[in-house]
Amino acid sequence: MKIIRRKFLKLLSFSCLSLLSFPYNLLNAITKKIINPNLTIEQKKIMLNEATERPYSSALNQEKREGFFHCANCGARLFASSAKFDSGTGWPSFTESLPGAFKTKTDYSFGMKRVEYHCAKCGVHHGHVFDDGPTSTQKRFCSNGLCLIFKPK
């Protein structure tokens, strides 16, 4: 009987925790503005719910032309192509963003502390920034390719 009660209480506590996080997730999604009505379901999952695309799935990994990378939602300029490098991680990576392009927050998902970045104009999620980049900035902006649109010069 004690085992059944313990399992029931455990299940109840997990249910309560998920209910408590629901308003946060809902509020988080509401504060982001959908500007591009043509976003795919996958883009919305990444941009609004902070999901991640599969590594090596982005065509932008191979992009080498001169130009700028823009937010797929609002069109804001985020990265210059000169800041792009191959990090070997499977996601488009950049050593620096354009000034004022992003706002950051601390992300504790997956049991670790990471810095998450969002478009400063529309608030959608783009990826995480790490302190292991190859240049003097030592930054690696690891971006979801589905969040970006490349416009050649």
Side-chain angles (χ1 to χ4, degrees), residues 3-67:
I3 294 172
I4 293 172
R5 184 187 310 158
R6 190 175 303 141
K7 285 183 179 182
F8 174 74
L9 290 174
K10 196 175 189 181
L11 180 64
L12 184 64
S13 67
F14 284 127
S15 298
C16 289
L17 284 174
S18 66
L19 285 174
L20 289 174
S21 69
F22 177 74
Y24 169 77
N25 291 336
L26 182 62
L27 180 63
N28 195 23
I30 290 172
T31 58
K32 298 172 184 177
K33 302 175 210 158
I34 297 284
I35 296 170
N36 179 356
N38 299 320
L39 292 176
T40 66
I41 292 171
E42 189 65 26
Q43 285 175 308
K44 288 177 184 175
K45 282 181 188 175
I46 294 167
M47 294 175 154
L48 299 178
N49 299 324
E50 299 167 358
T52 303
E53 70 186 5
R54 286 184 356 266
Y56 302 101
S57 63
S58 175
L60 294 179
N61 285 333
Q62 314 310 321
E63 185 57 64
K64 307 237 188 280
R65 295 176 291 172
E66 198 174 326

Side-chain angles (χ1 to χ4, degrees), residues 66-70 77 79-81 98 149-153:
E66 198 174 326
F68 290 94
F69 293 85
H70 297 253
R77 269 189 186 183
F79 300 105
S81 60
L98 295 174
I149 294 173
F150 179 72
K151 294 184 181 177
K153 225 174 191 181

Side-chain angles (χ1 to χ4, degrees), residues 110-127:
F110 301 110
M112 65 179 113
K113 182 180 176 182
R114 301 183 294 175
V115 177
E116 186 177 304
Y117 60 94
H118 298 257
C119 178
K121 184 176 176 184
C122 65
V124 298
H125 170 80
H126 277 267

